[in-house]
Amino acid sequence: MVIDVNPGFSSWIEIEPVSPVFIGSDEKIERFETIVEGNMVYILDFQKLLGRDDFVELFVAKMQDILDPSVKDRAMKEIFQKLNLKLSEVSLDSFPAQWRNNKPDNLQMKRFVRSAGRYYVPGSSIKGAIRTALIRSDQSLVRRFEDLLKTIVEDSMKESKQGMKREKERNINIKGGIFGSPNQSPFRLLEISDSDFIDKKFVKFKLITVRNLLNVKTKISMMLELWLDKQDESNKVRVLLQSRVDRLSQMKNWITDPGKLLETLGDKGKFIEAVKSATEKIIQLEIERIKKALNSNEFKLILGFYEKLREENKKMRDGFILRLGAQTGFFSKTFFTRFLNRNELEFLKSTHKVYNLFPVSISIAEPSYESPVPKPLGWVRVRFVS
């Protein structure tokens, strides 16, 4: 089979958040790494503290008290007083405490990905977001996902009726059923570098609320280290995006029936239009999902944000809006192409916790002095600059 496509392109792109973005590392802030002082919670900079021998000596001596939540703060403050250290000097960040039953709530806290203490956006995260969009934009690929899901659901129902043990790994391997292993995927033709470093002044711990759309009383609060959407200053990172369709001759034996994907990867203009088209579909799904919420009036500001997002995506000529990072609400962003029918829901409930809105939750960055309007996480502006 001869495939006639353009050889691809290489471009620098700029990425800028239009809502707070979270790309998590595996690192969490443990309870002993925080101190409550007055109405504020301070997150201690242990990397800095452990570089001091005098601190390490006192920390080890008071370890038993530090690991006891009831006296932890007092023990740590005694160390700082002895060393004449101010909390503000040894803290990464601070934020107002959340109180429950007259005690500060022990919120889960997660850190943004970084290397050698500097924040960046991994190329793998960007590529994953773009990969989802390119699949979503190609109706032939979407149909293949749909057909495979239908087959798996039907097989699962037959096995259930016959009392057979379900092969869980086969059931959830939707992506592998389309493209095979990662080594055989046409997306190997797309190479995206890690970004340059984010200015640390744009990365802060902020309160996030995970809201249940079907039960407005169900809320989970957490603190995430976010890349913030500061519009009054330059807050962009650069990334090198390369579409290496010129390598197709080395890979043609791997790739079978990739739809319009190779044509899209071969031409920058078609690439941009494909992602813009996918973003439009994703935004529309989000709007429909929120309107189906038990009390959609609570989310009017969020709906307004999505409408502005859609308008900007339509008007952009040199780029697109993209959903990026974790805590954006999908178990699998590729998987969710529409609302699910009853049989699909029953099948997915047996392997994952899903509901008829799939997913049922939405993560919202709470209003603050810097950003008075609540926003869903994970939206960025992508522009081609070369």
Side-chain angles (χ1 to χ4, degrees):
M1 179 179 65
V2 177
I3 303 175
D4 184 20
V5 293
N6 291 333
F9 58 92
S10 177
S11 293
W12 285 97
I13 59 175
E14 286 183 342
I15 300 177
E16 179 180 23
V18 291
S19 74
V21 173
F22 178 67
I23 302 175
S25 66
D26 292 331
E27 185 180 354
K28 297 178 182 178
I29 301 295
E30 301 296 342
R31 194 165 185 171
F32 72 87
E33 296 179 80
T34 65
I35 286 183
V36 178
E37 177 70 24
N39 195 41
M40 299 295 291
V41 176
Y42 291 84
I43 300 174
L44 302 175
D45 187 346
F46 261 81
Q47 186 175 358
K48 181 177 182 179
L49 288 167
L50 294 176
R52 295 183 54 136
D53 291 341
D54 52 359
F55 172 80
V56 172
E57 183 178 344
L58 291 171
F59 183 83
V60 171
K62 286 184 172 288
M63 181 66 74
Q64 188 171 349
D65 286 345
I66 290 170
L67 295 179
D68 181 348
S70 65
V71 296
K72 168 187 70 72
D73 283 9
R74 186 180 68 200
M76 289 295 291
K77 289 174 186 178
E78 287 174 358
I79 294 176
F80 293 148
Q81 187 174 13
K82 196 164 189 175
L83 297 178
N84 198 26
L85 292 173
K86 296 180 180 178
L87 273 176
S88 57
E89 297 172 342
V90 293
S91 298
L92 288 169
D93 209 340
S94 62
F95 52 87
Q98 304 292 307
W99 297 89
R100 181 184 297 178
N101 299 325
N102 296 320
K103 293 181 179 180
D105 198 1
N106 184 30
L107 296 178
Q108 186 179 57
M109 288 181 272
K110 298 181 180 180
R111 300 209 64 178
F112 199 92
V113 67
R114 61 199 190 286
S115 176
R118 303 184 73 181
Y119 304 99
Y120 72 102
V121 181
S124 58
S125 296
I126 304 165
K127 182 174 178 177
I130 290 176
R131 178 188 186 281
T132 294
L134 292 178
I135 291 173
R136 189 74 58 84
S137 69
D138 188 331
Q139 286 305 305
S140 68
L141 294 179
V142 170
R143 280 194 296 272
R144 286 159 68 185
F145 272 87
E146 295 276 334
D147 291 345
L148 185 57
L149 175 60
K150 181 180 177 182
T151 300
I152 290 174
V153 170
E154 289 175 351
D155 288 350
S156 176
M157 292 174 67
K158 289 177 184 176
E159 291 171 2
S160 180
K161 287 180 181 178
Q162 296 170 6
M164 295 170 63
K165 186 176 180 181
R166 185 175 291 114
E167 298 177 38
K168 198 168 184 178
E169 288 302 316
R170 177 175 61 79
N171 284 342
I172 64 174
N173 192 20
I174 303 294
K175 297 176 188 177
I178 298 296
F179 292 121
S181 69
N183 286 336
Q184 296 174 316
S185 169
F187 287 100
R188 284 198 68 184
L189 299 172
L190 184 63
E191 298 179 356
I192 301 178
S193 72
D194 293 342
S195 78
D196 50 16
F197 291 119
I198 301 169
D199 190 324
K200 64 180 182 181
K201 70 182 177 182
F202 297 127
V203 180
K204 299 286 184 183
F205 280 92
K206 295 295 176 185
L207 181 65
I208 300 302
T209 302
V210 182
R211 302 286 301 275
N212 187 309
L213 297 175
L214 299 182
N215 184 347
V216 293
K217 294 181 180 179
T218 302
K219 303 176 185 178
I220 300 174
S221 297
M222 64 177 70
M223 298 297 297
L224 299 181
E225 196 173 31
L226 299 172
W227 181 22
L228 300 177
D229 53 316
K230 294 277 192 175
Q231 302 299 321
D232 55 342
E233 299 181 69
S234 178
N235 181 20
K236 302 171 184 175
V237 294
R238 279 202 168 199
V239 170
L240 180 61
L241 184 152
Q242 298 181 88
S243 175
R244 301 299 303 273
V245 183
D246 58 329
R247 292 183 177 178
L248 182 60
S249 60
Q250 305 166 31
M251 303 182 182
K252 61 184 178 183
N253 292 330
W254 299 354
I255 299 172
T256 57
D257 191 22
K260 296 181 180 178
L261 187 56
L262 293 183
E263 184 182 338
T264 302
L265 288 173
D267 183 276
K268 183 164 72 172
K270 291 179 179 178
F271 181 93
I272 291 173
E273 286 307 311
V275 180
K276 283 167 66 75
S277 171
T279 295
E280 167 66 23
K281 294 173 185 176
I282 293 168
I283 291 173
Q284 184 58 38
L285 270 173
E286 282 294 276
I287 290 173
E288 290 177 29
R289 190 168 73 105
I290 292 170
K291 285 182 176 179
K292 290 174 183 285
L294 186 65
N295 186 356
S296 59
N297 286 331
E298 287 201 15
F299 300 98
K300 279 186 176 178
L301 291 175
I302 301 294
L303 287 170
F305 170 81
Y306 276 115
E307 293 291 356
K308 290 179 181 177
L309 208 61
R310 179 157 58 184
E311 285 305 307
E312 179 172 358
N313 183 60
K314 286 180 180 177
K315 291 177 181 178
M316 289 180 74
R317 294 289 174 264
D318 55 352
F320 43 78
I321 298 296
L322 185 70
R323 183 197 282 274
L324 175 67
Q327 295 289 331
T328 52
F330 294 152
F331 170 77
S332 167
K333 299 183 183 74
T334 304
F335 199 45
F336 184 43
T337 60
R338 56 171 172 72
F339 293 103
L340 304 173
N341 64 42
R342 185 177 62 81
N343 288 337
E344 291 164 343
L345 283 166
E346 289 302 315
F347 160 70
L348 288 170
K349 283 178 182 177
S350 70
T351 54
H352 315 298
K353 189 176 182 181
V354 299
Y355 302 86
N356 61 333
L357 292 183
F358 185 56
V360 71
S361 64
I362 182 171
S363 297
I364 297 171
E366 291 293 342
S368 65
Y369 173 76
E370 299 149 321
S371 181
V373 177
K375 294 180 180 178
L377 297 189
W379 290 99
V380 297
R381 181 183 297 116
V382 179
R383 291 191 184 280
F384 284 74
V385 292
S386 69

